[in-house]
Amino acid sequence: MFEFSIKSGHPEKQRSACVVVGIYEPRRLSDVAKRVDEVSEGFLSSILRRGDLEGKIGQTLLLHNVPGTLADRVLLVGCGRERELGDAQYRKIIQQATRTLHDTGSMEAVCYLTELNVRGRDTAWRIRQAIETANATLYSFDQYKSKRNSTRRPLRKIVFSITTRRELNLAEQAGREAQAISAGVKLTKDLANLPSNVCTPSYLAKQAEDLSKKYEKLTCQVLEAKEIRDKGMHTLLAVAKGSNEPPKFIVLEYQGAVDKKHEAPVVLIGKGVTFDSGGISLKPSDKMDEMKFDMSGAASVLGTLTAVAELQLPLNIICLIPAVENMPSGTAAKPGDIVETMSKQTVEILNTDAEGRLILCDALTYAEVNYKPDVVIDIATLTGACVVALGAHPHGLLGNHNSLIGDLLNAGKYSYDRAWELPLWDEYQEQLDSRFADIANIGGREGGAITAACFLSRFAKKLHWAHLDIAGTAWLTGKEKGATGRPVPLLTQYLLNRCKDNFQPQPPVETDAGIERE
Ligand code: BES
Ligand code: MN
Ligand code: ZN
């Protein structure tokens, strides 16, 4: 993570390794670039006239010793057409600028791209996204490379510019939020990127315990196999029993609502399958390595809690992580096995690869029995069908409570970590009919992401519940393979919004010293 700060000031007055300004297409100076052009007596416009930079997104041009300025360098960054500058373009521009700074020896820089006009977005949003995007751009997971790619002069600090000092408080708050979310995203990526021979259920439990030691408002409890059995979570155990790794049921409680200890909590449930081989319904070996990411839901819950704890949000939050490894062996569950859930409903396991729902259903019941949650959100790399339906961009979102769904969709739009709702209609439920038990764990090929959510809905009848299927969004495949840290930004935004909605200005308190403010 790099350092950042925020200020307002003229570009030519910055004593810095680099000043970063935007150029629109075609060869048009942004407001800040105009200012640099004026003090340098037309230096920038003459360069643009000669055709060195068109201003397309992704283009950059690094200049040294620009007349009239105090910085060592001026980095021109293509911003595309001004009218077309939206969220996605802005993020690409910041990404490109960060990469170039990092690769060209500027250890610190003053970046004016936060002053660009992004359609429908204000200063706080631009600062938030700039810091989050820059952090994400500089992320790498190289702890298992024996020779690391070390940059000789890495980027350490960026000062982001705002047009007026009046917005400083606002921008700094946005900056703190961005740093907290970035820390959560980083933790989530690190955990998800770890191989499954390191990141086992026990390892996840240890991480949760470490978090609870780091943050005062967090407490952690880990249920072992015996306690899991005593609670009646037999479907969770059925998934775990083919593996030599013992299952863990992780409970992390964040108590942030200080005066309101009993305020109904938000419960976050993260799927923690540290490796999903499919079990006896074994997956094909092509890309099976990617099933180390099948604990991304769990990782994102831990990441979100990190962001929440960093920001000390005044909420009560419970995280539940059923953590298991899904393996084939002589002790594994077999297709056709019938198992009782914690809710006492029986399940016919027709496919051992539909294991996520078998651990999540017991976590939902655990939430219902042990807390009086305001809302419950589960996060899971649940179905390949969701990837087919929506691709890699939005999370699949389903649930039984419209205002919760609406709040999550909005949080996703603001944080640029978007979700898309799929229909959880009753008509789909019958696909889960079982010949021999109360419910089957698969519903056929049609609408697989929906029938998976239908399965979960049977355990969420008494809850305000939503389900995020992150199978397509939690990691990238191919050349850029790796965890994305999603949906930490969405979830943190949802929780931030809840604080803003809850916020009631407190009346001043009378003390001996008179009126005490805040
Ligand atoms: N973890 C997988 C879902 C998954 C598949 C995520 C591919 C990302 C990429 C899940 O446990 C699973 O195997 N689901 C099955 C369900 C099926 C057997 C009903 C699937 O999607 O194929
Ligand atoms: Mn599976
Ligand atoms: Zn899985």
Side-chain angles (χ1 to χ4, degrees):
M1 298 252 299
F2 71 102
E3 231 189 287
F4 79 92
S5 63
I6 294 160
K7 74 172 175 195
S8 62
H10 293 307
E12 73 277 11
K13 302 224 172 93
Q14 309 303 323
R15 286 183 196 281
S16 166
C18 192
V19 163
V20 185
V21 303
I23 303 293
Y24 291 117
E25 194 181 346
R27 304 174 304 282
R28 285 192 40 237
L29 300 165
S30 63
D31 289 346
V32 180
K34 268 182 206 147
R35 173 102 194 171
V36 176
D37 195 47
E38 278 159 24
V39 300
S40 64
E41 287 163 15
F43 192 74
L44 299 191
S45 41
S46 78
I47 283 177
L48 294 185
R49 227 176 296 118
R50 274 180 268 154
D52 291 47
L53 188 77
E54 189 59 25
K56 288 191 195 307
I57 289 182
Q59 290 185 317
T60 54
L61 184 64
L62 188 60
L63 307 172
H64 289 83
N65 307 319
V66 173
T69 65
L70 296 175
D72 300 341
R73 311 168 179 82
V74 172
L75 176 63
L76 306 184
V77 180
C79 296
R81 291 189 189 272
E82 188 168 10
R83 280 188 310 117
E84 292 167 11
L85 180 46
D87 298 0
Q89 290 76 13
Y90 180 69
R91 286 165 58 101
K92 270 197 196 134
I93 292 162
I94 298 289
Q95 219 170 36
Q96 193 61 32
T98 310
R99 223 355 58 242
T100 309
L101 287 170
H102 187 67
D103 293 342
T104 54
S106 292
M107 297 181 75
E108 44 76 35
V110 184
C111 176
Y112 283 84
L113 299 174
T114 36
E115 293 188 15
L116 292 170
N117 224 333
V118 184
R119 213 185 309 123
R121 299 302 193 182
D122 61 9
T123 304
W125 187 92
R126 295 193 304 267
I127 294 282
R128 263 272 295 270
Q129 286 293 326
I131 293 171
E132 288 179 41
T133 305
N135 272 317
T137 306
L138 294 184
Y139 175 86
S140 71
F141 185 80
D142 55 8
Q143 62 192 86
Y144 293 99
K145 297 269 194 196
S146 47
K147 281 201 197 72
R148 296 196 193 163
N149 242 344
S150 65
T151 302
R152 202 172 63 79
R153 292 170 58 80
L155 178 61
R156 292 258 159 77
K157 174 166 186 183
I158 306 183
V159 179
F160 289 108
S161 166
I162 53 176
T163 39
T164 113
R165 271 197 69 81
R166 270 186 294 117
E167 294 192 305
L168 195 60
N169 283 340
L170 227 129
E172 281 182 340
Q173 176 57 23
R176 279 188 292 275
E177 291 171 5
Q179 285 291 73
I181 291 169
S182 300
V185 164
K186 177 174 162 35
L187 178 87
T188 301
K189 286 181 176 176
D190 283 345
L191 285 173
N193 282 331
L194 283 172
S196 74
N197 59 330
V198 175
C199 185
T200 58
S202 310
Y203 185 92
L204 281 181
K206 171 80 167 51
Q207 295 308 302
E209 274 159 2
D210 288 354
L211 271 187
S212 73
K213 284 177 200 143
K214 183 165 172 200
Y215 299 105
E216 198 198 333
K217 295 190 168 82
L218 276 180
T219 51
C220 181
Q221 186 196 357
V222 177
L223 307 187
E224 308 290 332
K226 181 179 174 308
E227 297 152 283
I228 296 172
R229 178 164 298 112
D230 292 345
K231 305 262 183 219
M233 301 177 168
H234 300 293
T235 42
L236 192 163
L237 290 173
V239 177
K241 73 184 191 164
S243 168
N244 291 336
E245 293 295 337
K248 306 278 170 179
F249 189 87
I250 304 164
V251 181
L252 256 181
E253 303 191 354
Y254 173 84
Q255 172 91 232
V258 204
D259 325 318
K260 295 179 272 178
K261 279 213 163 68
H262 304 292
E263 186 179 272
V266 173
V267 176
L268 302 176
I269 300 176
K271 172 178 172 182
V273 176
T274 59
F275 189 74
D276 180 12
S277 69
I280 297 297
S281 314
L282 194 63
K283 286 182 180 295
S285 36
D286 182 44
K287 286 201 190 169
M288 206 208 268
D289 66 292
E290 294 187 7
M291 284 302 125
K292 72 172 185 178
F293 294 120
D294 211 19
M295 35 57 72
S296 294
S300 76
V301 161
L302 294 175
T304 301
L305 219 54
T306 300
V308 165
E310 286 286 329
L311 292 169
Q312 306 215 36
L313 296 188
L315 299 169
N316 294 334
I317 303 172
I318 309 289
C319 291
L320 303 177
I321 298 176
V324 297
E325 189 183 57
N326 186 22
M327 293 292 277
S329 78
T331 59
K334 304 169 294 296
D337 285 4
I338 296 178
V339 185
E340 190 180 76
T341 61
M342 185 177 174
S343 75
K344 303 291 182 197
Q345 299 176 77
T346 57
V347 176
E348 186 181 17
I349 303 178
L350 290 174
N351 189 320
T352 64
D353 196 12
E355 85 297 341
R357 59 198 83 180
L358 298 177
I359 66 174
L360 294 169
C361 66
D362 282 342
L364 284 164
T365 306
Y366 186 91
E368 181 198 311
V369 171
N370 290 282
Y371 306 96
K372 285 198 173 58
D374 188 47
V375 301
V376 177
I377 305 163
D378 79 75
I379 302 100
T381 47
L382 204 61
T383 65
C386 189
V387 192
V388 175
L390 297 177
H393 305 294
H395 316 293
L397 174 60
L398 305 99
N400 63 11
H401 192 60
N402 278 332
S403 71
L404 173 59
I405 299 265
D407 290 348
L408 291 169
L409 288 171
N410 282 336
K413 281 182 203 154
Y414 186 81
S415 57
Y416 203 74
D417 184 9
R418 294 166 298 177
W420 194 263
E421 189 182 7
L422 298 172
L424 188 67
W425 292 337
D426 283 344
E427 285 83 345
Y428 293 97
Q429 290 283 355
E430 66 190 43
Q431 289 178 239
L432 294 172
D433 288 350
S434 158
R435 187 100 173 91
F436 301 110
D438 296 338
I439 179 172
N441 81 325
I442 52 170
R445 274 173 45 83
E446 294 180 3
I450 297 169
T451 52
C454 283
F455 182 95
L456 298 177
S457 76
R458 307 270 184 121
F459 303 85
K461 290 206 174 108
K462 295 190 190 145
L463 303 168
H464 294 164
W465 158 78
H467 157 67
L468 282 164
D469 192 330
I470 60 168
T473 50
W475 71 88
L476 303 172
T477 48
K479 208 164 86 274
E480 303 265 284
K481 182 152 71 190
T484 60
R486 295 178 63 187
V488 171
L490 180 157
L491 291 170
T492 311
Q493 189 61 42
Y494 168 72
L495 296 167
L496 275 167
N497 291 348
R498 279 184 73 105
C499 299
K500 284 170 191 153
D501 294 346
N502 282 348
F503 181 74
Q504 303 275 338
Q506 298 296 310
V509 185
E510 292 274 3
T511 68
D512 294 345
I515 304 272
E516 190 180 79
R517 293 197 190 280
E518 226 216 345

